[in-house]
Amino acid sequence: PKLSCRYTTPFVMVKFRKSKTAIFAAIFLLIPGAEALLSFVTQPSDDSVNKHSRITPTEVRHAGTACWGATDDSSITCSSSSQRDMNSLKDWSVVSGIELIDGLNLAPNGGNEWGLSLQKSTKAGTAVLRVPKSLVLSSADVPGLDTSSAQKVIQSHEMEDHWPTFLLMLRILVEKAKGSESDWFPWLESLPVSFTTGIFMDEVERSHLPALTRGLVKLQDRQLEVFNKAVQSLSDDLLSTELKKDSDLLRWAFSIVFTRSHRYSTDTNSKSEVIPLGDLFNHRDPADVIWNDTPDFVEFVLREDIEVPPGESRDIYLSYGLPNPHRFLAIFGFVDDYIAEVPSQVMFTNPTPEMVAMGCNDPRRMVFRSEDGLIANAVWDSILYSVLASNPSEQKELYEAHMQGDRKAKAEIHSRYALEVSMALKNHVEQALVESYSEVSELPTTDEGDHPTLLLIAKHKKLIREVFQKVKTRLDGIVDMEWRRRAASKTKE
């Protein structure tokens, strides 16, 4: 079919299951007659937070600066210049029954960032870290506290799914208010105060974020606002007035939960937890460790053998879940240089069940490969299905071939429409490069002192831009080849 395009207004789409959530702001590239719309991500609208949007904390975090302590609520303050007390954390871990395998150490990663490293070779299946379950801070550990007023606030803003997250934030605030009397005081003292996450970015920094990242940041802003309202509703007997007025402290507790905790969900229950010392693992995918539950401990176990030459050390990593660069920057505050894939940012409104079955809503399948710009099959299939909207019989043929695993039949259909599909995707990629991933030189780097996250944002945009440029180069070749093929075919006719 002949392809023509036009643009409509921005909107917000949210589509991840349970704890895997991201927000997508999109402008659509429309194919006339298509039931589903191929979209291009650009600037989000003012109404960029959908009431059903969900961000759920997942494993661990990216370290920020320092943490603080106090013996009473009124003296709890933030100081980004103070250092994290890691020596007391080490001592506390020993007396608290945390078990670190010989050779596992707390390792500085520059500035006030920390991780965990091995100093000797270790076999797969080894539990390198074991944390007593009695030390795990959980949303389930708030018995006897009257939180009904806060729950009404959360429900009134349609954030019921975040109730365990809020309870964990409350749990941390209660311990923080105890100061040195808290059993977790050394761990609290070791935590960062400031972060490079979205909610710590100023307006200048936010103005340079790609739309997907900025949409996630706005969603976090709204969640923090609602959580703060819920805190204000609580009795002064639970949290003092001084503590509830400390916006920096509330933002800190919110950040600790979203950057260092994980979520357990079953058919009947859901809870959020943070594991002291286990929260020091930095991210890498594939991960070096996974965690196991035992009756008395949470164990972090090596997935594969780790070889460490004598006299050297090697950082070991945990996966933070869905590998999405926008999620990593907005929620965790880092850029993953080793990310294997990036989101294609191709989305569809009102996709049919057939399109969903072909993968159009699966964030792990709708991707571009970072190494060489390879385009995932789900992207090709979804766009082709949309292009075929004006030809229902061929749409059905494509869907049936997909469901039956008939690769030959699918390849034949793809071959017939390779030019149309490639042109649509090429248009999408080119628009993304222009609208969302500007050259790094365009960032106001002279303001780095006043806006320290700008360099991280520049790195984030550069990473995605380079992948999209590889995709564009690949598509340029395909489009050129298809034009030549069709011209040769017409000449023969």
Side-chain angles (χ1 to χ4, degrees):
K2 183 178 179 180
L3 189 70
S4 71
C5 305
R6 61 186 177 87
Y7 293 97
T8 61
T9 55
F11 89 117
V12 168
M13 173 187 287
V14 175
K15 186 67 181 179
F16 283 3
R17 295 181 181 177
K18 299 191 184 228
S19 65
K20 310 296 186 184
T21 305
I23 185 170
F24 296 96
I27 276 185
F28 297 111
L29 170 64
L30 305 186
I31 300 173
E35 295 175 2
L37 310 177
L38 171 64
S39 65
F40 160 66
V41 178
T42 183
Q43 307 302 320
S45 65
D46 292 336
D47 183 25
S48 63
V49 180
N50 185 290
K51 65 181 181 179
H52 298 299
S53 302
R54 298 191 298 170
I55 295 179
T56 304
T58 52
E59 304 85 76
V60 209
R61 76 356 151 192
H62 180 70
T65 56
C67 200
W68 68 96
T71 56
D72 60 85
D73 297 340
S74 61
S75 61
I76 295 177
T77 58
C78 292
S79 174
S80 60
S81 62
S82 59
Q83 298 295 310
R84 300 171 64 181
D85 186 356
M86 306 307 288
N87 289 327
S88 295
L89 177 65
K90 295 176 185 177
D91 296 339
W92 175 77
S93 68
V94 173
V95 300
S96 298
I98 296 176
E99 300 175 8
L100 287 76
I101 190 175
D102 182 34
L104 181 68
N105 293 291
L106 280 63
N109 287 334
N112 279 309
E113 298 178 10
W114 289 77
L116 293 169
S117 67
L118 276 172
Q119 292 187 317
K120 66 178 187 179
S121 299
T122 309
K123 293 294 184 181
T126 302
V128 295
L129 174 64
R130 303 178 77 231
V131 181
K133 286 193 170 180
S134 59
L135 294 181
V136 175
L137 285 164
S138 173
S139 60
D141 295 335
V142 288
L145 300 182
D146 184 4
T147 57
S148 57
S149 60
Q151 189 167 21
K152 289 178 181 178
V153 172
I154 299 294
Q155 290 174 341
S156 68
H157 289 83
E158 300 187 357
M159 288 191 178
E160 295 92 336
D161 287 343
H162 293 293
W163 180 239
T165 310
F166 173 80
L167 288 178
L168 182 56
M169 174 180 166
L170 175 60
R171 181 80 171 85
I172 290 173
L173 286 170
V174 168
E175 291 302 323
K176 189 63 187 175
K178 296 177 182 177
S180 60
E181 298 300 315
S182 170
D183 291 338
W184 285 267
F185 180 71
W187 174 72
L188 292 168
E189 287 287 287
S190 75
L191 296 174
V193 167
S194 64
F195 299 79
T196 51
T197 56
I199 62 172
F200 279 79
M201 294 178 187
D202 60 35
E203 289 305 315
V204 171
E205 292 163 339
R206 292 180 180 211
S207 70
H208 291 280
L209 290 172
L212 290 184
T213 316
R214 190 162 60 254
L216 279 169
V217 172
K218 287 187 175 182
L219 179 54
Q220 287 260 277
D221 286 341
R222 179 171 179 265
Q223 290 171 326
L224 176 58
E225 179 185 2
V226 173
F227 278 28
N228 284 353
K229 288 179 179 179
V231 167
Q232 305 310 316
S233 74
L234 294 169
S235 166
D236 288 351
D237 294 333
L238 183 55
L239 293 176
S240 71
T241 301
E242 290 80 8
L243 186 151
K244 289 189 289 186
K245 288 181 179 179
D246 191 338
S247 59
D248 287 337
L249 177 62
L250 298 183
R251 182 173 64 165
W252 170 81
F254 178 92
S255 300
I256 293 301
V257 170
F258 272 86
T259 61
R260 309 181 83 89
S261 71
H262 60 272
R263 178 89 166 254
Y264 284 102
S265 294
T266 65
D267 293 337
T268 59
N269 189 29
S270 181
K271 61 181 178 179
S272 294
E273 295 181 341
V274 60
I275 305 171
L277 256 73
D279 62 342
L280 283 173
F281 284 104
N282 285 310
H283 166 80
R284 186 69 58 83
D285 196 6
D288 295 313
V289 299
I290 57 175
W291 75 67
N292 286 334
D293 266 333
T294 69
D296 299 315
F297 288 86
V298 177
E299 298 181 336
F300 293 84
V301 180
L302 287 183
R303 298 174 63 248
E304 298 179 348
D305 293 350
I306 298 291
E307 297 294 331
V308 182
E312 297 184 14
S313 64
R314 182 199 185 281
D315 291 342
I316 54 175
Y317 300 93
L318 180 73
S319 172
Y320 292 9
L322 182 71
N324 183 309
H326 305 284
R327 172 176 172 266
F328 287 157
L329 179 58
I331 301 176
F332 296 96
F334 72 93
V335 175
D336 181 6
D337 295 321
Y338 303 94
I339 196 163
E341 299 163 340
V342 303
S344 67
Q345 301 177 194
V346 174
M347 288 161 278
F348 299 85
T349 56
N350 303 318
T352 65
E354 290 81 6
M355 291 189 70
V356 173
M358 296 174 77
C360 78
N361 274 1
D362 189 340
R364 293 184 180 274
R365 297 172 64 188
M366 297 292 287
V367 294
F368 298 145
R369 193 162 70 184
S370 301
E371 179 183 4
D372 54 11
L374 191 68
I375 301 158
N377 289 338
V379 177
W380 290 115
D381 291 345
S382 300
I383 298 175
L384 176 57
Y385 190 90
S386 181
V387 167
L388 293 175
S390 60
N391 192 333
S393 62
E394 284 191 298
Q395 262 194 339
K396 182 179 179 181
E397 182 183 350
L398 174 66
Y399 174 70
E400 290 178 347
H402 175 81
M403 297 305 293
Q404 294 168 8
D406 190 339
R407 296 184 180 181
K408 182 178 179 181
K410 276 183 67 176
E412 290 175 354
I413 303 172
H414 271 287
S415 178
R416 291 199 294 269
Y417 294 96
L419 179 60
E420 287 79 8
V421 173
S422 299
M423 287 178 61
L425 185 53
K426 181 174 180 286
N427 194 344
H428 162 73
V429 169
E430 290 174 342
Q431 286 294 105
L433 287 168
V434 171
E435 298 290 338
S436 287
Y437 303 111
S438 58
E439 293 283 1
V440 176
S441 60
E442 296 175 17
L443 289 172
T445 53
T446 55
D447 292 335
E448 290 168 16
D450 296 328
H451 312 290
T453 313
L454 281 178
L455 284 179
L456 190 64
I457 295 170
K459 184 179 181 181
H460 170 67
K461 296 176 76 170
K462 182 174 183 289
L463 182 149
I464 301 174
R465 180 181 180 84
E466 289 178 349
V467 177
F468 269 61
Q469 190 62 56
K470 292 173 185 176
V471 177
K472 180 182 179 303
T473 300
R474 181 179 292 274
L475 289 168
D476 285 342
I478 295 174
V479 169
D480 181 67
M481 180 181 65
E482 288 302 317
W483 274 119
R484 292 176 182 275
R485 185 173 68 85
R486 290 202 181 182
S489 177
K490 288 184 177 180
T491 300
K492 290 180 180 179
E493 293 176 0

